[in-house]
Each structure stands twice: as C-alpha cells, then as structure tokens.
Amino acid sequence: MENKRVPEELDPEAALGLLDRAEFGRVAFLADGVPTVRPVNHVLLDGRIVVFTRHTSALGRAVRRQADVQVAYQADQIDPGTRTGWSVLVAGTAADVSRGPHAAQLGLQVQSWMKLPLDMVIAIEPQEVTGLRLAAESGGPR
Amino acid sequence: MENKRVPEELDPEAALGLLDRAEFGRVAFLADGVPTVRPVNHVLLDGRIVVFTRHTSALGRAVRRQADVQVAYQADQIDPGTRTGWSVLVAGTAADVSRGPHAAQLGLQVQSWMKLPLDMVIAIEPQEVTGLRLAAESGGPR
C-alpha cells in the first residue's frame, strides 16, 4: 500500500486563510518551564489570533506571568482515511488584551464552544507563518 | 444558539485507549528555547508513544540535543459541526531509540504518511495522561 504523501509548503497568506476558516487550533506554550499544548477556539482578527480563556487556565497563567510570551499556534484538517489535508503553524507572542478596548466583544467573537465562565482574551501576534498541504496527487491536478 | 459544551474529564486509561486508536497527533517541545508543535504519526507500543522522524527535523534536533527532553503529546478528534469529540494530552519525556533493539521495525510500525526518508525513532514515556470529552448531552445518556 503506497499512499504516502509528500508535504507541499503553503505560502503564509494561504496558510493564514486556512487558519481563518478553522474554528479551533492548539496553542503550545511553556507552563512552569515545561512545554504543553491546549486545544482552543480562535478567531483571526486584524492579523492576530484571538482566543478566549480563563485567567486560571494553564494558558492564562502563562500569559499573565510574562508579557509577550512566546507561543506556537497550530491548526490542521487532515482526513485519516485519505491522508489528505493541511496543517498550519504560527510562531508568535501572546499577550493579555482583556483590558484593551472592546475586550468583551473580542472575547465573544471567538465563539468558544466551552460552557465555562471565560474572562481572559489573549491575542497572539504572528511572527512566522508556515503551512503544508498533503495532497493525493503531489504536483498533479487537484 | 446554545450548543456549548461542558468538558468531561477522561480517566487516563480511557484517554490512552483513544490515543491508541488515533493515527496522528501533535508533539509540543522546545526548539532553540521557543515552544513549538508538530503534527506526527504515532503508534502506542508497550505504553510508549513512538514516532518516526528525521534526525534533521526540529523534533529530531531537540531530542538529540538533550536526553529525556520534556515534551507534550496531544491528539484530538473533534467534529466542528456537532462540537463533540475528545482531546487527549500526555506530558512525558522523549528519547532517541534509533539505536535500540528492533529500531527499524519500530519505525515501520508507526506507519508514517510522509514520503520522506525517515531515520529516527523517538519514544515518549508518559508521565501524566489527561483527557476530556465534549458530548452533546453532558451527564445524560450517550
């Protein structure tokens, strides 16, 4: 069974377009010095990835501890059946924008799926955006 | 539209069972001091998460740099349409087992989807396993 894939690089604009249409992704960050990762809902607003969480969550604590903390944000949509899809990775800095203008509206725009009291809006400023696509016919017509 | 979810905690055994049936996940680690995350295929063998990569990949370099480096491994299966599914998170240490017994067979068991020359088998030893389920009827019949 030869159905392996050659990943094709996406340009940053295409990658951000895919991220824009996704409803959730995963944020990787340091929690007490140890790398961890959490699934979260997001919305792309003015080029920033906005997430809505709680001050007491692991991500909330990491962002409160240090201004502009380094994070990675990843989203993908991959079908295990066909082994096709895409993955996008953003390296950037995360900041608490809960006290910024329109923070409440910002948070609601995220449309979190969680039935939890959320009180912290975090914005991730992208520094580097990369992405790859897995297609059945690499280089061929799609 | 009230279709928010209350995440239910999974016990570690149930979480590992879901991870076992998944074909890929995402590993979070430190690359040059900065948290990052990469999608990879995995297989669960003898309680360890085994991935197959290249010595030159970001993950390969991180694991070569430091023995038993701290990583997080995450997999999920969430349907954005119904907002139901699960997410599993493993905190653990990763080690290069490419020179261990049966390394070649181990690597092939991972069944990587990538058409790339892979030469490094990494085993993640779980330290902590957590998981959550998003269900439509929290606490109700499923």
Side-chain angles (χ1 to χ4, degrees):
Chain A
M1 184 179 68
E2 177 58 36
N3 54 352
K4 290 188 179 292
R5 305 288 173 237
V6 180
E8 302 166 39
E9 275 186 32
L10 295 169
D11 63 60
E13 266 181 61
L16 279 179
L18 291 165
L19 193 63
D20 189 24
R21 292 193 289 280
E23 292 182 75
F24 75 102
R26 300 147 202 100
V27 59
F29 56 100
L30 279 184
D32 299 322
V34 173
T36 192
V37 58
R38 292 287 190 282
V40 285
N41 292 107
H42 72 259
V43 67
L44 219 65
L45 290 173
D46 299 328
R48 296 187 305 177
I49 301 163
V50 179
V51 307
F52 197 24
T53 185
R54 287 162 293 139
H55 272 81
T56 52
S57 69
L59 176 62
R61 291 197 305 269
V63 172
R64 278 191 291 151
R65 188 165 302 157
Q66 189 191 331
D68 295 324
V69 63
Q70 281 281 340
V71 302
Y73 198 83
Q74 190 269 352
D76 57 48
Q77 209 169 76
I78 298 173
D79 179 349
T82 60
R83 300 182 171 183
T84 59
W86 55 265
S87 176
V88 166
L89 178 66
V90 176
T93 55
D96 179 6
V97 296
S98 303
R99 291 176 189 182
H102 317 299
Q105 294 96 311
L106 262 185
L108 293 176
Q109 282 191 68
V110 177
Q111 301 196 343
S112 168
W113 300 347
M114 293 300 128
K115 200 174 196 166
L116 296 169
L118 306 178
D119 58 11
M120 184 175 186
V121 185
I122 293 173
I124 298 168
E125 190 77 48
Q127 292 168 325
E128 188 184 8
V129 180
T130 53
L132 56 86
R133 184 187 296 278
L134 305 182
E137 291 288 328
S138 180
R142 285 198 292 272
Chain B
M1 186 181 67
E2 178 57 38
N3 55 353
K4 290 188 180 291
R5 304 289 173 236
V6 180
E8 301 166 40
E9 274 186 34
L10 295 170
D11 64 59
E13 266 181 61
L16 279 180
L18 291 166
L19 193 62
D20 189 24
R21 291 193 290 280
E23 293 183 73
F24 75 102
R26 299 147 203 99
V27 58
F29 56 100
L30 278 184
D32 300 321
V34 174
T36 191
V37 58
R38 292 288 189 283
V40 286
N41 292 108
H42 72 259
V43 68
L44 220 67
L45 290 173
D46 299 328
R48 296 187 305 176
I49 302 164
V50 180
V51 307
F52 197 23
T53 185
R54 286 163 294 140
H55 273 81
T56 52
S57 69
L59 176 62
R61 291 197 306 270
V63 173
R64 278 190 292 151
R65 189 166 301 157
Q66 191 192 329
D68 296 323
V69 63
Q70 281 282 340
V71 302
Y73 198 83
Q74 189 267 353
D76 58 46
Q77 208 168 79
I78 298 171
D79 178 349
T82 60
R83 298 181 172 184
T84 59
W86 55 266
S87 176
V88 166
L89 178 66
V90 176
T93 55
D96 179 5
V97 296
S98 303
R99 291 177 189 181
H102 317 299
Q105 294 97 309
L106 261 186
L108 293 176
Q109 283 191 68
V110 177
Q111 301 196 343
S112 167
W113 301 346
M114 293 301 130
K115 200 176 199 166
L116 295 170
L118 305 177
D119 57 11
M120 186 176 184
V121 184
I122 293 172
I124 299 168
E125 191 77 49
Q127 293 169 325
E128 189 184 7
V129 180
T130 53
L132 57 86
R133 185 187 296 278
L134 304 182
E137 290 289 328
S138 181
R142 284 198 294 272

mmCIF file with all atom_site columns, all heavy atoms in Angstrom, chain A residues 6-28:
data_model
loop_
_atom_site.group_PDB
_atom_site.id
_atom_site.type_symbol
_atom_site.label_atom_id
_atom_site.label_alt_id
_atom_site.label_comp_id
_atom_site.label_asym_id
_atom_site.label_entity_id
_atom_site.label_seq_id
_atom_site.pdbx_PDB_ins_code
_atom_site.Cartn_x
_atom_site.Cartn_y
_atom_site.Cartn_z
_atom_site.occupancy
_atom_site.B_iso_or_equiv
_atom_site.pdbx_formal_charge
_atom_site.auth_seq_id
_atom_site.auth_comp_id
_atom_site.auth_asym_id
_atom_site.auth_atom_id
_atom_site.pdbx_PDB_model_num
ATOM 1   N N   . VAL A 1 6  ? 3.819   13.539 -0.011 1.00 0.00 ? 6  VAL A N   1
ATOM 2   C CA  . VAL A 1 6  ? 4.929   14.487 0.009  1.00 0.00 ? 6  VAL A CA  1
ATOM 3   C C   . VAL A 1 6  ? 4.350   15.832 0.431  1.00 0.00 ? 6  VAL A C   1
ATOM 4   O O   . VAL A 1 6  ? 3.535   16.405 -0.294 1.00 0.00 ? 6  VAL A O   1
ATOM 5   C CB  . VAL A 1 6  ? 5.580   14.621 -1.380 1.00 0.00 ? 6  VAL A CB  1
ATOM 6   C CG1 . VAL A 1 6  ? 6.722   15.618 -1.334 1.00 0.00 ? 6  VAL A CG1 1
ATOM 7   C CG2 . VAL A 1 6  ? 6.064   13.265 -1.870 1.00 0.00 ? 6  VAL A CG2 1
ATOM 8   N N   . PRO A 1 7  ? 4.696   16.333 1.617  1.00 0.00 ? 7  PRO A N   1
ATOM 9   C CA  . PRO A 1 7  ? 4.097   17.609 2.034  1.00 0.00 ? 7  PRO A CA  1
ATOM 10  C C   . PRO A 1 7  ? 4.539   18.750 1.118  1.00 0.00 ? 7  PRO A C   1
ATOM 11  O O   . PRO A 1 7  ? 5.702   18.875 0.778  1.00 0.00 ? 7  PRO A O   1
ATOM 12  C CB  . PRO A 1 7  ? 4.630   17.799 3.456  1.00 0.00 ? 7  PRO A CB  1
ATOM 13  C CG  . PRO A 1 7  ? 5.789   16.877 3.597  1.00 0.00 ? 7  PRO A CG  1
ATOM 14  C CD  . PRO A 1 7  ? 5.596   15.764 2.625  1.00 0.00 ? 7  PRO A CD  1
ATOM 15  N N   . GLU A 1 8  ? 3.559   19.559 0.711  1.00 0.00 ? 8  GLU A N   1
ATOM 16  C CA  . GLU A 1 8  ? 3.850   20.740 -0.103 1.00 0.00 ? 8  GLU A CA  1
ATOM 17  C C   . GLU A 1 8  ? 3.753   21.969 0.784  1.00 0.00 ? 8  GLU A C   1
ATOM 18  O O   . GLU A 1 8  ? 2.767   22.124 1.497  1.00 0.00 ? 8  GLU A O   1
ATOM 19  C CB  . GLU A 1 8  ? 2.807   20.908 -1.222 1.00 0.00 ? 8  GLU A CB  1
ATOM 20  C CG  . GLU A 1 8  ? 2.690   19.743 -2.164 1.00 0.00 ? 8  GLU A CG  1
ATOM 21  C CD  . GLU A 1 8  ? 1.414   19.864 -3.006 1.00 0.00 ? 8  GLU A CD  1
ATOM 22  O OE1 . GLU A 1 8  ? 1.056   20.980 -3.418 1.00 0.00 ? 8  GLU A OE1 1
ATOM 23  O OE2 . GLU A 1 8  ? 0.767   18.819 -3.214 1.00 0.00 ? 8  GLU A OE2 1
ATOM 24  N N   . GLU A 1 9  ? 4.730   22.826 0.704  1.00 0.00 ? 9  GLU A N   1
ATOM 25  C CA  . GLU A 1 9  ? 4.698   24.047 1.527  1.00 0.00 ? 9  GLU A CA  1
ATOM 26  C C   . GLU A 1 9  ? 3.635   25.014 1.036  1.00 0.00 ? 9  GLU A C   1
ATOM 27  O O   . GLU A 1 9  ? 3.450   25.193 -0.166 1.00 0.00 ? 9  GLU A O   1
ATOM 28  C CB  . GLU A 1 9  ? 6.068   24.742 1.500  1.00 0.00 ? 9  GLU A CB  1
ATOM 29  C CG  . GLU A 1 9  ? 7.011   24.181 2.527  1.00 0.00 ? 9  GLU A CG  1
ATOM 30  C CD  . GLU A 1 9  ? 8.315   24.959 2.595  1.00 0.00 ? 9  GLU A CD  1
ATOM 31  O OE1 . GLU A 1 9  ? 8.293   26.186 2.354  1.00 0.00 ? 9  GLU A OE1 1
ATOM 32  O OE2 . GLU A 1 9  ? 9.340   24.328 2.864  1.00 0.00 ? 9  GLU A OE2 1
ATOM 33  N N   . LEU A 1 10 ? 2.954   25.634 1.978  1.00 0.00 ? 10 LEU A N   1
ATOM 34  C CA  . LEU A 1 10 ? 1.984   26.679 1.660  1.00 0.00 ? 10 LEU A CA  1
ATOM 35  C C   . LEU A 1 10 ? 2.645   28.034 1.884  1.00 0.00 ? 10 LEU A C   1
ATOM 36  O O   . LEU A 1 10 ? 3.483   28.175 2.779  1.00 0.00 ? 10 LEU A O   1
ATOM 37  C CB  . LEU A 1 10 ? 0.767   26.576 2.581  1.00 0.00 ? 10 LEU A CB  1
ATOM 38  C CG  . LEU A 1 10 ? -0.096  25.327 2.443  1.00 0.00 ? 10 LEU A CG  1
ATOM 39  C CD1 . LEU A 1 10 ? -1.085  25.244 3.608  1.00 0.00 ? 10 LEU A CD1 1
ATOM 40  C CD2 . LEU A 1 10 ? -0.846  25.342 1.123  1.00 0.00 ? 10 LEU A CD2 1
ATOM 41  N N   . ASP A 1 11 ? 2.245   29.024 1.102  1.00 0.00 ? 11 ASP A N   1
ATOM 42  C CA  . ASP A 1 11 ? 2.774   30.354 1.421  1.00 0.00 ? 11 ASP A CA  1
ATOM 43  C C   . ASP A 1 11 ? 1.991   30.918 2.609  1.00 0.00 ? 11 ASP A C   1
ATOM 44  O O   . ASP A 1 11 ? 0.874   30.472 2.900  1.00 0.00 ? 11 ASP A O   1
ATOM 45  C CB  . ASP A 1 11 ? 2.741   31.277 0.202  1.00 0.00 ? 11 ASP A CB  1
ATOM 46  C CG  . ASP A 1 11 ? 1.345   31.541 -0.293 1.00 0.00 ? 11 ASP A CG  1
ATOM 47  O OD1 . ASP A 1 11 ? 0.534   32.073 0.488  1.00 0.00 ? 11 ASP A OD1 1
ATOM 48  O OD2 . ASP A 1 11 ? 1.047   31.217 -1.444 1.00 0.00 ? 11 ASP A OD2 1
ATOM 49  N N   . PRO A 1 12 ? 2.582   31.886 3.322  1.00 0.00 ? 12 PRO A N   1
ATOM 50  C CA  . PRO A 1 12 ? 1.956   32.366 4.561  1.00 0.00 ? 12 PRO A CA  1
ATOM 51  C C   . PRO A 1 12 ? 0.530   32.874 4.372  1.00 0.00 ? 12 PRO A C   1
ATOM 52  O O   . PRO A 1 12 ? -0.326  32.642 5.231  1.00 0.00 ? 12 PRO A O   1
ATOM 53  C CB  . PRO A 1 12 ? 2.900   33.503 5.000  1.00 0.00 ? 12 PRO A CB  1
ATOM 54  C CG  . PRO A 1 12 ? 4.232   33.118 4.433  1.00 0.00 ? 12 PRO A CG  1
ATOM 55  C CD  . PRO A 1 12 ? 3.926   32.462 3.118  1.00 0.00 ? 12 PRO A CD  1
ATOM 56  N N   . GLU A 1 13 ? 0.259   33.512 3.254  1.00 0.00 ? 13 GLU A N   1
ATOM 57  C CA  . GLU A 1 13 ? -1.106  34.031 3.035  1.00 0.00 ? 13 GLU A CA  1
ATOM 58  C C   . GLU A 1 13 ? -2.121  32.902 2.924  1.00 0.00 ? 13 GLU A C   1
ATOM 59  O O   . GLU A 1 13 ? -3.208  32.955 3.514  1.00 0.00 ? 13 GLU A O   1
ATOM 60  C CB  . GLU A 1 13 ? -1.158  34.890 1.774  1.00 0.00 ? 13 GLU A CB  1
ATOM 61  C CG  . GLU A 1 13 ? -0.974  36.360 2.059  1.00 0.00 ? 13 GLU A CG  1
ATOM 62  C CD  . GLU A 1 13 ? -1.052  37.170 0.780  1.00 0.00 ? 13 GLU A CD  1
ATOM 63  O OE1 . GLU A 1 13 ? -2.110  37.138 0.130  1.00 0.00 ? 13 GLU A OE1 1
ATOM 64  O OE2 . GLU A 1 13 ? -0.050  37.834 0.452  1.00 0.00 ? 13 GLU A OE2 1
ATOM 65  N N   . ALA A 1 14 ? -1.762  31.875 2.167  1.00 0.00 ? 14 ALA A N   1
ATOM 66  C CA  . ALA A 1 14 ? -2.660  30.721 2.039  1.00 0.00 ? 14 ALA A CA  1
ATOM 67  C C   . ALA A 1 14 ? -2.833  30.045 3.388  1.00 0.00 ? 14 ALA A C   1
ATOM 68  O O   . ALA A 1 14 ? -3.936  29.622 3.753  1.00 0.00 ? 14 ALA A O   1
ATOM 69  C CB  . ALA A 1 14 ? -2.096  29.745 1.012  1.00 0.00 ? 14 ALA A CB  1
ATOM 70  N N   . ALA A 1 15 ? -1.748  29.958 4.142  1.00 0.00 ? 15 ALA A N   1
ATOM 71  C CA  . ALA A 1 15 ? -1.810  29.314 5.454  1.00 0.00 ? 15 ALA A CA  1
ATOM 72  C C   . ALA A 1 15 ? -2.742  30.084 6.388  1.00 0.00 ? 15 ALA A C   1
ATOM 73  O O   . ALA A 1 15 ? -3.577  29.501 7.082  1.00 0.00 ? 15 ALA A O   1
ATOM 74  C CB  . ALA A 1 15 ? -0.409  29.199 6.047  1.00 0.00 ? 15 ALA A CB  1
ATOM 75  N N   . LEU A 1 16 ? -2.622  31.413 6.397  1.00 0.00 ? 16 LEU A N   1
ATOM 76  C CA  . LEU A 1 16 ? -3.490  32.221 7.256  1.00 0.00 ? 16 LEU A CA  1
ATOM 77  C C   . LEU A 1 16 ? -4.951  32.126 6.805  1.00 0.00 ? 16 LEU A C   1
ATOM 78  O O   . LEU A 1 16 ? -5.865  32.171 7.631  1.00 0.00 ? 16 LEU A O   1
ATOM 79  C CB  . LEU A 1 16 ? -3.037  33.687 7.264  1.00 0.00 ? 16 LEU A CB  1
ATOM 80  C CG  . LEU A 1 16 ? -1.859  34.014 8.188  1.00 0.00 ? 16 LEU A CG  1
ATOM 81  C CD1 . LEU A 1 16 ? -1.488  35.486 8.075  1.00 0.00 ? 16 LEU A CD1 1
ATOM 82  C CD2 . LEU A 1 16 ? -2.180  33.666 9.648  1.00 0.00 ? 16 LEU A CD2 1
ATOM 83  N N   . GLY A 1 17 ? -5.161  31.969 5.513  1.00 0.00 ? 17 GLY A N   1
ATOM 84  C CA  . GLY A 1 17 ? -6.522  31.809 5.000  1.00 0.00 ? 17 GLY A CA  1
ATOM 85  C C   . GLY A 1 17 ? -7.172  30.538 5.542  1.00 0.00 ? 17 GLY A C   1
ATOM 86  O O   . GLY A 1 17 ? -8.349  30.532 5.910  1.00 0.00 ? 17 GLY A O   1
ATOM 87  N N   . LEU A 1 18 ? -6.393  29.473 5.605  1.00 0.00 ? 18 LEU A N   1
ATOM 88  C CA  . LEU A 1 18 ? -6.913  28.208 6.150  1.00 0.00 ? 18 LEU A CA  1
ATOM 89  C C   . LEU A 1 18 ? -7.191  28.342 7.643  1.00 0.00 ? 18 LEU A C   1
ATOM 90  O O   . LEU A 1 18 ? -8.214  27.888 8.151  1.00 0.00 ? 18 LEU A O   1
ATOM 91  C CB  . LEU A 1 18 ? -5.912  27.079 5.895  1.00 0.00 ? 18 LEU A CB  1
ATOM 92  C CG  . LEU A 1 18 ? -5.755  26.676 4.430  1.00 0.00 ? 18 LEU A CG  1
ATOM 93  C CD1 . LEU A 1 18 ? -4.514  25.820 4.217  1.00 0.00 ? 18 LEU A CD1 1
ATOM 94  C CD2 . LEU A 1 18 ? -7.003  25.932 3.960  1.00 0.00 ? 18 LEU A CD2 1
ATOM 95  N N   . LEU A 1 19 ? -6.274  29.014 8.341  1.00 0.00 ? 19 LEU A N   1
ATOM 96  C CA  . LEU A 1 19 ? -6.453  29.227 9.779  1.00 0.00 ? 19 LEU A CA  1
ATOM 97  C C   . LEU A 1 19 ? -7.709  30.064 10.041 1.00 0.00 ? 19 LEU A C   1
ATOM 98  O O   . LEU A 1 19 ? -8.453  29.823 10.995 1.00 0.00 ? 19 LEU A O   1
ATOM 99  C CB  . LEU A 1 19 ? -5.213  29.934 10.338 1.00 0.00 ? 19 LEU A CB  1
ATOM 100 C CG  . LEU A 1 19 ? -5.067  29.978 11.845 1.00 0.00 ? 19 LEU A CG  1
ATOM 101 C CD1 . LEU A 1 19 ? -4.930  28.579 12.411 1.00 0.00 ? 19 LEU A CD1 1
ATOM 102 C CD2 . LEU A 1 19 ? -3.850  30.820 12.234 1.00 0.00 ? 19 LEU A CD2 1
ATOM 103 N N   . ASP A 1 20 ? -7.943  31.028 9.165  1.00 0.00 ? 20 ASP A N   1
ATOM 104 C CA  . ASP A 1 20 ? -9.091  31.919 9.299  1.00 0.00 ? 20 ASP A CA  1
ATOM 105 C C   . ASP A 1 20 ? -10.396 31.132 9.227  1.00 0.00 ? 20 ASP A C   1
ATOM 106 O O   . ASP A 1 20 ? -11.358 31.434 9.942  1.00 0.00 ? 20 ASP A O   1
ATOM 107 C CB  . ASP A 1 20 ? -9.039  32.961 8.178  1.00 0.00 ? 20 ASP A CB  1
ATOM 108 C CG  . ASP A 1 20 ? -10.070 34.060 8.359  1.00 0.00 ? 20 ASP A CG  1
ATOM 109 O OD1 . ASP A 1 20 ? -10.503 34.288 9.506  1.00 0.00 ? 20 ASP A OD1 1
ATOM 110 O OD2 . ASP A 1 20 ? -10.449 34.691 7.352  1.00 0.00 ? 20 ASP A OD2 1
ATOM 111 N N   . ARG A 1 21 ? -10.430 30.118 8.387  1.00 0.00 ? 21 ARG A N   1
ATOM 112 C CA  . ARG A 1 21 ? -11.665 29.342 8.213  1.00 0.00 ? 21 ARG A CA  1
ATOM 113 C C   . ARG A 1 21 ? -11.806 28.228 9.243  1.00 0.00 ? 21 ARG A C   1
ATOM 114 O O   . ARG A 1 21 ? -12.866 27.617 9.346  1.00 0.00 ? 21 ARG A O   1
ATOM 115 C CB  . ARG A 1 21 ? -11.725 28.769 6.787  1.00 0.00 ? 21 ARG A CB  1
ATOM 116 C CG  . ARG A 1 21 ? -11.903 29.859 5.724  1.00 0.00 ? 21 ARG A CG  1
ATOM 117 C CD  . ARG A 1 21 ? -12.282 29.290 4.376  1.00 0.00 ? 21 ARG A CD  1
ATOM 118 N NE  . ARG A 1 21 ? -11.191 28.568 3.725  1.00 0.00 ? 21 ARG A NE  1
ATOM 119 C CZ  . ARG A 1 21 ? -10.196 29.126 3.057  1.00 0.00 ? 21 ARG A CZ  1
ATOM 120 N NH1 . ARG A 1 21 ? -10.137 30.442 2.942  1.00 0.00 ? 21 ARG A NH1 1
ATOM 121 N NH2 . ARG A 1 21 ? -9.261  28.399 2.490  1.00 0.00 ? 21 ARG A NH2 1
ATOM 122 N N   . ALA A 1 22 ? -10.741 27.957 9.993  1.00 0.00 ? 22 ALA A N   1
ATOM 123 C CA  . ALA A 1 22 ? -10.818 26.935 11.041 1.00 0.00 ? 22 ALA A CA  1
ATOM 124 C C   . ALA A 1 22 ? -11.444 27.541 12.295 1.00 0.00 ? 22 ALA A C   1
ATOM 125 O O   . ALA A 1 22 ? -11.345 28.745 12.527 1.00 0.00 ? 22 ALA A O   1
ATOM 126 C CB  . ALA A 1 22 ? -9.434  26.388 11.348 1.00 0.00 ? 22 ALA A CB  1
ATOM 127 N N   . GLU A 1 23 ? -12.079 26.701 13.101 1.00 0.00 ? 23 GLU A N   1
ATOM 128 C CA  . GLU A 1 23 ? -12.737 27.206 14.310 1.00 0.00 ? 23 GLU A CA  1
ATOM 129 C C   . GLU A 1 23 ? -11.927 26.949 15.573 1.00 0.00 ? 23 GLU A C   1
ATOM 130 O O   . GLU A 1 23 ? -12.199 27.511 16.613 1.00 0.00 ? 23 GLU A O   1
ATOM 131 C CB  . GLU A 1 23 ? -14.120 26.570 14.462 1.00 0.00 ? 23 GLU A CB  1
ATOM 132 C CG  . GLU A 1 23 ? -15.088 27.020 13.386 1.00 0.00 ? 23 GLU A CG  1
ATOM 133 C CD  . GLU A 1 23 ? -16.465 26.408 13.600 1.00 0.00 ? 23 GLU A CD  1
ATOM 134 O OE1 . GLU A 1 23 ? -17.172 26.872 14.505 1.00 0.00 ? 23 GLU A OE1 1
ATOM 135 O OE2 . GLU A 1 23 ? -16.820 25.456 12.877 1.00 0.00 ? 23 GLU A OE2 1
ATOM 136 N N   . PHE A 1 24 ? -10.963 26.049 15.449 1.00 0.00 ? 24 PHE A N   1
ATOM 137 C CA  . PHE A 1 24 ? -10.134 25.797 16.620 1.00 0.00 ? 24 PHE A CA  1
ATOM 138 C C   . PHE A 1 24 ? -8.744  25.344 16.193 1.00 0.00 ? 24 PHE A C   1
ATOM 139 O O   . PHE A 1 24 ? -8.517  24.966 15.039 1.00 0.00 ? 24 PHE A O   1
ATOM 140 C CB  . PHE A 1 24 ? -10.783 24.783 17.574 1.00 0.00 ? 24 PHE A CB  1
ATOM 141 C CG  . PHE A 1 24 ? -10.715 23.347 17.102 1.00 0.00 ? 24 PHE A CG  1
ATOM 142 C CD1 . PHE A 1 24 ? -9.779  22.474 17.646 1.00 0.00 ? 24 PHE A CD1 1
ATOM 143 C CD2 . PHE A 1 24 ? -11.578 22.874 16.126 1.00 0.00 ? 24 PHE A CD2 1
ATOM 144 C CE1 . PHE A 1 24 ? -9.721  21.141 17.225 1.00 0.00 ? 24 PHE A CE1 1
ATOM 145 C CE2 . PHE A 1 24 ? -11.517 21.558 15.695 1.00 0.00 ? 24 PHE A CE2 1
ATOM 146 C CZ  . PHE A 1 24 ? -10.588 20.689 16.246 1.00 0.00 ? 24 PHE A CZ  1
ATOM 147 N N   . GLY A 1 25 ? -7.842  25.434 17.158 1.00 0.00 ? 25 GLY A N   1
ATOM 148 C CA  . GLY A 1 25 ? -6.470  25.001 16.933 1.00 0.00 ? 25 GLY A CA  1
ATOM 149 C C   . GLY A 1 25 ? -5.872  24.631 18.267 1.00 0.00 ? 25 GLY A C   1
ATOM 150 O O   . GLY A 1 25 ? -6.597  24.366 19.236 1.00 0.00 ? 25 GLY A O   1
ATOM 151 N N   . ARG A 1 26 ? -4.560  24.623 18.322 1.00 0.00 ? 26 ARG A N   1
ATOM 152 C CA  . ARG A 1 26 ? -3.878  24.228 19.561 1.00 0.00 ? 26 ARG A CA  1
ATOM 153 C C   . ARG A 1 26 ? -2.740  25.192 19.811 1.00 0.00 ? 26 ARG A C   1
ATOM 154 O O   . ARG A 1 26 ? -1.977  25.495 18.908 1.00 0.00 ? 26 ARG A O   1
ATOM 155 C CB  . ARG A 1 26 ? -3.346  22.803 19.438 1.00 0.00 ? 26 ARG A CB  1
ATOM 156 C CG  . ARG A 1 26 ? -4.461  21.812 19.188 1.00 0.00 ? 26 ARG A CG  1
ATOM 157 C CD  . ARG A 1 26 ? -4.049  20.675 18.334 1.00 0.00 ? 26 ARG A CD  1
ATOM 158 N NE  . ARG A 1 26 ? -5.233  20.069 17.718 1.00 0.00 ? 26 ARG A NE  1
ATOM 159 C CZ  . ARG A 1 26 ? -5.615  20.322 16.467 1.00 0.00 ? 26 ARG A CZ  1
ATOM 160 N NH1 . ARG A 1 26 ? -4.913  21.147 15.701 1.00 0.00 ? 26 ARG A NH1 1
ATOM 161 N NH2 . ARG A 1 26 ? -6.697  19.752 15.995 1.00 0.00 ? 26 ARG A NH2 1
ATOM 162 N N   . VAL A 1 27 ? -2.661  25.649 21.044 1.00 0.00 ? 27 VAL A N   1
ATOM 163 C CA  . VAL A 1 27 ? -1.608  26.591 21.402 1.00 0.00 ? 27 VAL A CA  1
ATOM 164 C C   . VAL A 1 27 ? -0.578  25.856 22.252 1.00 0.00 ? 27 VAL A C   1
ATOM 165 O O   . VAL A 1 27 ? -0.922  25.146 23.202 1.00 0.00 ? 27 VAL A O   1
ATOM 166 C CB  . VAL A 1 27 ? -2.202  27.827 22.107 1.00 0.00 ? 27 VAL A CB  1
ATOM 167 C CG1 . VAL A 1 27 ? -2.968  27.480 23.364 1.00 0.00 ? 27 VAL A CG1 1
ATOM 168 C CG2 . VAL A 1 27 ? -1.113  28.862 22.400 1.00 0.00 ? 27 VAL A CG2 1
ATOM 169 N N   . ALA A 1 28 ? 0.685   25.995 21.852 1.00 0.00 ? 28 ALA A N   1
ATOM 170 C CA  . ALA A 1 28 ? 1.799   25.394 22.597 1.00 0.00 ? 28 ALA A CA  1
ATOM 171 C C   . ALA A 1 28 ? 2.534   26.497 23.331 1.00 0.00 ? 28 ALA A C   1
ATOM 172 O O   . ALA A 1 28 ? 2.787   27.569 22.774 1.00 0.00 ? 28 ALA A O   1
ATOM 173 C CB  . ALA A 1 28 ? 2.753   24.659 21.661 1.00 0.00 ? 28 ALA A CB  1
#
